[in-house]
Amino acid sequence: MTSRPLGIWPMLYAFFDQAGALDRPAMRRQVEACVREGAHGLAVLGLATEVNKLSDAEKRTLVSWVAEDLDGRRPFAVTVTGSTPDEQIAFARLAADAGAAYVILQPPRGETPDEPTLTRFFGAVADASPIPVGIQNAPEYLGVGLGPTAIRTLHRNHANVVMVKGEASVTAIRQIVEATDGGIAVFNGRGGLELPDNLRAGCDGMIPAPDFFDRQVRIFGLMRTRDDAENEEVAENLYREILPGIVFVMQSLDALVCYGKRIAAWRLGLRGEIHDRAPGLAPTAFGLQCARRFATALGPLV
């Protein structure tokens, strides 16, 4: 039985080489840094992985690379996209075969189903998935999602739905925590914004990009002892240290994969130019100065 997910699970960036292909050494370096710096798990093929820009073959490649590089040292989750339940079920099985602990389902691409329709869609995939399922509930980015009551209903009717990954304010996340009454693991994203308050609200963890995750792992550990005022103050100070950088990269998803990826790359010690895949935000000279300042202040991940 897979245990309840907990902690900081960085959503990996997709690094590309000069020819535009996935960069194998850079991806391996990213995974190794996540393990070395104490990530509780990893995730791949989410919005930070630029999943919408990847071919099906590239998605399969990234899943296999992550599984190979982790070699069982950490659990990992795979975000699943697809327009039909059958498409998502097929990819969930592929993820399971590769050794993933969880899949995280996105709503069908390019559609805006109402809550009952989306609930049935997720339920059909969850019932057929060989591993536990989370849902990505991010109407702020995806344009469609479920309310707290619908999430509770989905979990009650489909026991394999064990997690929800939001992209919402802490007050909205708290409503999901209250509605599900501890029955489902609740994670938030948004780069780790409001991390201490998300933990106070009852979140089981966060799925940020890797830019600041080492500090976020430390914050999570400190906040686990909620009755320790000294640890909580240390956690708040760490959060204040990274907050300006999080705000900088979380202006939009395009800003995240443009500047957040570069902060992570520089901290990983990747040399040379960071190659973007279109469409996307082109970095400006001033933006690069800002990103470099944040990376330098945080120090290396290697």
Side-chain angles (χ1 to χ4, degrees):
M1 177 96 180
T2 303
S3 60
R4 185 180 178 113
L6 194 72
I8 306 299
W9 292 50
M11 177 63 71
L12 300 177
Y13 285 118
F15 286 106
F16 304 103
D17 63 21
Q18 188 172 8
L22 290 169
D23 187 327
R24 180 70 178 104
M27 295 303 299
R28 179 181 289 120
R29 194 177 187 93
Q30 184 178 203
V31 169
E32 288 300 325
C34 289
V35 173
R36 185 173 53 251
E37 296 293 335
H40 301 88
L42 279 73
V44 67
L45 299 188
L47 298 174
T49 319
E50 300 173 79
V51 64
N52 295 347
K53 303 176 188 177
L54 302 176
S55 69
D56 288 343
E58 287 174 326
K59 294 173 190 177
R60 293 191 294 271
T61 293
L62 283 181
V63 172
S64 66
W65 284 357
V66 171
E68 177 184 347
D69 293 340
L70 281 174
D71 194 25
R73 293 176 295 168
R74 294 290 190 279
F76 70 100
V78 175
T79 301
V80 173
T81 58
S83 299
T84 67
D86 285 347
E87 288 180 12
Q88 295 206 3
I89 291 165
F91 205 86
R93 289 172 176 161
L94 180 148
D97 289 343
Y102 305 93
V103 289
I104 302 174
L105 312 181
Q106 282 192 1
R109 206 53 68 67
E111 300 180 23
T112 54
D114 58 21
E115 277 197 342
T117 302
L118 185 57
T119 300
R120 288 192 296 271
F121 183 100
F122 285 145
V125 180
D127 288 347
S129 173
I131 54 177
V133 165
I135 63 165
Q136 182 160 16
N137 199 55
E140 301 84 356
Y141 295 126
L142 301 175
V144 62
L146 300 178
T149 301
I151 293 171
R152 180 182 64 209
T153 300
L154 179 66
H155 168 65
R156 287 180 176 175
N157 293 341
H158 305 276
N160 205 28
V161 178
V162 302
M163 180 197 336
V164 58
K165 194 262 187 175
E167 299 282 356
S169 69
V170 70
T171 52
I173 286 293
R174 174 64 180 182
Q175 292 178 335
I176 296 174
V177 172
E178 291 174 341
T180 55
D181 195 26
I184 189 169
V186 179
F187 280 68
N188 205 357
R190 297 208 306 161
L193 281 172
E194 302 179 291
L195 173 53
D197 279 336
N198 271 284
L199 298 176
R200 293 183 183 107
C203 271
D204 294 83
M206 303 286 277
I207 304 180
D211 341 358
F212 312 101
F213 88 91
D214 54 329
R215 303 301 202 278
Q216 292 161 336
V217 167
R218 292 168 60 189
I219 291 168
F220 181 86
L222 290 161
M223 292 289 292
R224 293 292 289 167
T225 53
R226 304 288 173 79
D227 57 348
D228 190 323
E230 184 176 347
N231 278 357
E232 192 164 320
E233 182 58 28
V234 174
E236 288 286 359
N237 286 335
L238 282 171
Y239 178 65
R240 293 185 191 106
E241 176 186 337
I242 62 175
L243 180 58
I246 296 174
V247 171
F248 172 70
V249 301
M250 288 306 297
Q251 299 298 320
S252 67
L253 285 175
D254 283 344
L256 177 67
V257 298
C258 175
Y259 294 115
K261 186 193 291 191
R262 284 169 168 81
I263 291 172
W266 293 330
R267 298 193 68 205
L268 287 166
L270 298 179
R271 303 188 182 279
E273 183 181 356
I274 306 304
H275 302 283
D276 298 307
R277 178 171 285 188
L281 180 68
T284 66
F286 180 71
L288 291 173
Q289 290 175 15
C290 294
R292 180 68 78 173
R293 185 176 70 251
F294 290 124
T296 300
L298 288 165
L301 283 166
V302 293

